[in-house]
Amino acid sequence: MITAVLPMAIAFVSPFASPHDPDASLDRMRRRAPDGAGAEPVARLDGEPPRPAAAGADGRGPSTPGALRLIARHALFAGVPLGELAPLVENCELRPLPAGTLLLSPGQVNKTLYLLLEGRLEVHIDRVDSEEFFVIDPGECTGEISVVDCRPATAFVVAREPSRVLVVPEAQLWGAILTVPGIARNFMRLFADRLRARTASMQRALERQLRYEHLQKELAIAHDIQLGILPR
């Protein structure tokens, strides 16, 4: 499991080759993202078929006053006046996620940033039902790694309770949203928070692995001692 998660952390950090120059890093990330959009269908853990993306899937478009107030509370849009928000999210979708929805899985092509507005998501590195995971709370996001490095998703992302996300196509993200300097800085802050979460998750996994290996050595020593004291 450790060997599986370490390459993910390397891929995660790689876009920030120059952490002391966030504007230059953002320019490099923007150049690496291709044009085009496309939200991938999501699957259900209970066996229901994937639901194709559909604008206004919950009956509320992101341009309604209530939807805009909800979106404005997300950390990505901190400091953005409500009146300036509507054109930034005009091509985005508010999508409800029933509990158990599998939003992303390793190897899945993803060209979408998901902003969690309500509910709770869990990120599992090795298995979708693993006991080791970290939580995505409202105000956080997922899908940002594959949007930045143009590679498939690297983890399972599951809705553990009824949730609602703002689906942001990469064309809208790079072409409109991240052209606002304050939002660009917020985006990089979200990246830093995710790095800390993944680092903590890997540390816990490594500690468990080391404890397991230590126990195995102790058992082997005890077995040798036992064999040595038994009559021959």
Side-chain angles (χ1 to χ4, degrees):
M1 180 167 59
I2 302 303
T3 56
V5 297
L6 288 178
M8 299 174 191
I10 295 172
F12 176 78
V13 179
S14 60
F16 297 93
S18 178
H20 301 295
D21 187 0
D23 294 330
S25 299
L26 181 63
D27 289 340
R28 282 194 295 274
M29 288 191 292
R30 185 181 295 114
R31 288 197 297 270
R32 293 175 65 183
D35 292 334
E40 300 295 328
V42 294
R44 294 288 301 279
L45 294 183
D46 56 10
E48 292 293 325
R51 182 181 64 254
D58 62 355
R60 293 173 57 199
S63 61
T64 64
L68 289 176
R69 285 193 295 270
L70 178 64
I71 294 169
R73 294 202 298 265
H74 195 280
L76 182 64
F77 300 112
V80 178
L82 191 61
E84 299 177 10
L85 188 57
L88 296 177
V89 299
E90 61 182 355
N91 295 318
C92 301
E93 170 202 345
L94 272 179
R95 180 186 296 175
L97 301 178
T101 300
L102 179 61
L103 187 61
L104 293 172
S105 58
Q108 175 183 337
V109 175
N110 177 57
K111 299 182 179 181
T112 305
L113 177 69
Y114 297 95
L115 305 181
L116 182 61
L117 305 177
E118 297 175 328
R120 175 186 177 185
L121 306 179
E122 291 178 357
V123 179
H124 299 254
I125 301 298
D126 50 353
R127 303 189 320 274
V128 71
D129 58 348
S130 63
E131 296 181 359
E132 181 62 38
F133 60 87
F134 60 89
V135 174
I136 297 178
D137 290 314
E140 299 177 339
C141 64
T142 190
E144 75 285 353
I145 300 177
S146 48
V147 168
V148 166
D149 65 10
C150 305
R151 297 178 182 178
T154 58
F156 297 97
V157 181
V158 184
R160 283 306 178 192
E161 62 184 55
S163 305
R164 182 178 295 175
V165 295
L166 182 70
V167 180
V168 183
E170 63 175 3
Q172 185 72 12
L173 179 69
W174 299 113
I177 294 175
L178 291 184
T179 61
V180 180
I183 298 179
R185 188 168 295 277
N186 292 341
F187 183 66
M188 299 185 76
R189 186 176 295 113
L190 289 172
F191 252 97
D193 291 342
R194 179 57 50 82
L195 174 60
R196 294 188 186 97
R198 288 208 170 193
T199 299
S201 178
M202 288 188 295
Q203 286 176 337
R204 290 192 295 269
L206 180 59
E207 289 171 359
R208 285 199 306 273
Q209 179 69 17
L210 291 176
R211 284 196 296 267
Y212 174 78
E213 292 175 355
H214 181 69
L215 178 60
Q216 290 292 96
K217 291 179 181 178
E218 288 186 337
L219 290 174
I221 293 172
H223 181 262
D224 292 342
I225 293 174
Q226 187 180 36
L227 290 179
I229 63 177
L230 289 175
R232 298 181 182 275

